[in-house]
Amino acid sequence: MRSPGELKKEIEARLKGYLSRDRDGIRHELLNLFVKVKSLTIPQIYEKLQKRFSISYHSIASMVGIIASRIGILHVRRNAEGTNSIYELKDQYVDVVARILGTA
């Protein structure tokens, strides 16, 4: 079992790799939204990002899914009605994400 420190380093490496493939700044902006707002739904994210970028709803949903499952920094909650899931940046990774976004 990995220690919390080792896990943070692994998450940091995954995040840096993910952001290194960000050609147009969408991934940076998406993560920035999570640092600022903490919990969002896909429609909320789409509403904010489509103002600045030409991107589809499906693309945003895919990016959020990758961040939640492969990188592991988002917590997913189903809302009471079962319609839109609420994605939250895990508290232990807020500082890591903010630091990487500041240096990237």
Side-chain angles (χ1 to χ4, degrees), residues 58-76:
H58 180 75
S59 296
I60 291 174
S62 295
M63 283 192 292
V64 171
I66 288 170
I67 294 169
S69 64
R70 290 192 185 155
I71 299 173
I73 60 173
L74 297 179
H75 176 71
V76 184

Side-chain angles (χ1 to χ4, degrees), residues 11-29 31 67 71 100-101 103-104:
I11 296 288
E12 195 170 329
R14 290 180 193 167
L15 200 52
K16 284 179 180 176
Y18 180 73
L19 289 172
S20 72
R21 297 183 301 275
D22 185 18
R23 290 184 300 278
D24 42 20
I26 295 173
R27 294 175 183 189
H28 280 83
E29 191 61 32
L31 287 167
I67 294 169
I71 299 173
I100 289 173
L101 288 175
T103 61

Side-chain angles (χ1 to χ4, degrees), residues 19-92:
L19 289 172
S20 72
R21 297 183 301 275
D22 185 18
R23 290 184 300 278
D24 42 20
I26 295 173
R27 294 175 183 189
H28 280 83
E29 191 61 32
L30 174 62
L31 287 167
N32 218 1
L33 280 174
F34 278 110
V35 170
K36 291 177 185 168
V37 183
K38 298 285 190 288
S39 66
L40 296 158
T41 63
I42 300 294
Q44 290 171 327
I45 297 167
Y46 177 71
E47 183 182 319
K48 292 179 188 310
L49 291 183
Q50 62 100 23
K51 292 175 186 172
R52 289 191 53 207
F53 303 99
S54 175
I55 189 165
S56 70
Y57 185 91
H58 180 75
S59 296
I60 291 174
S62 295
M63 283 192 292
V64 171
I66 288 170
I67 294 169
S69 64
R70 290 192 185 155
I71 299 173
I73 60 173
L74 297 179
H75 176 71
V76 184
R77 280 190 298 126
R78 307 271 184 246
N79 67 359
E81 300 87 42
T83 51
N84 293 318
S85 296
I86 299 166
Y87 296 88
E88 299 175 329
L89 184 59
K90 293 179 182 176
D91 289 336
Q92 66 263 37

